[in-house]
Amino acid sequence: MKISDLKVRYLLWVLVIISITFLTVIVFLYWFVAERTERLMVERVKAQELVLARSGALSITEFLEERKAGLLLLAKIPSIKTLDEKRGRQEIRFFLEQLKRESVGGIVRVSKEGKALWLVNLKDVKEGEGDSLADRDYFPWAKTQKDEGEVF
């Protein structure tokens, strides 16, 4: 064997070792970056879901506040307060028509004793009119309210 053959073999082994080391470093870096990127993406998705959840909750709160305001205005209409059934039903129906796209099913006018006096909806279904609602969770609460403007 000549010295030049030994140098070539030595050089080949050095190149092989350098190549293996380089590939190992590349694979490790790829794995490290991929792991970190995955964690970062998971965090971003969680943050987006949290923003969406907060947005949804805020939308629901705003929806309920708007319905509350509408119901409080509706409750102040004289025909509804004085139990003028014909005019009161018309007022409630008009109110429901404004809410048609928001899936509000109907409104029930309840007496102080808990009897469902008027059941007004857009389908003109009157099933349940005359029923007692006094055993519902909200009824005892509503009877104890002193101030107008409270909504359960």
Side-chain angles (χ1 to χ4, degrees), residues 93-110:
R93 185 168 180 82
F94 177 77
F95 180 74
L96 287 173
E97 286 171 356
Q98 306 305 310
L99 301 176
K100 186 186 295 187
R101 65 182 174 90
E102 296 174 10
S103 302
V104 175
I107 296 178
V108 180
R109 172 63 165 97
V110 182

Side-chain angles (χ1 to χ4, degrees), residues 20-97:
I20 290 173
T21 305
F22 181 73
L23 285 173
T24 305
V25 168
I26 294 293
V27 168
F28 176 76
L29 286 175
Y30 177 78
W31 174 79
F32 179 74
V33 168
E35 184 76 23
R36 189 169 177 182
T37 302
E38 182 181 357
R39 274 189 267 131
L40 182 62
M41 291 302 292
V42 167
E43 289 299 318
R44 285 188 180 180
V45 167
K46 286 181 180 179
Q48 285 178 337
E49 288 175 350
L50 186 59
V51 167
L52 288 173
R54 286 180 182 157
S55 173
L58 185 59
S59 294
I60 291 170
T61 301
E62 288 174 0
F63 173 82
L64 293 175
E65 286 299 317
E66 288 174 10
R67 295 305 73 72
K68 175 183 174 181
L71 288 172
L72 292 174
L73 287 172
L74 193 63
K76 293 182 185 263
I77 295 174
S79 59
I80 294 174
K81 271 186 148 180
T82 61
L83 299 177
D84 177 0
E85 185 173 353
K86 183 179 179 185
R87 184 74 181 135
R89 282 183 184 273
Q90 289 173 345
E91 296 286 353
I92 294 173
R93 185 168 180 82
F94 177 77
F95 180 74
L96 287 173
E97 286 171 356

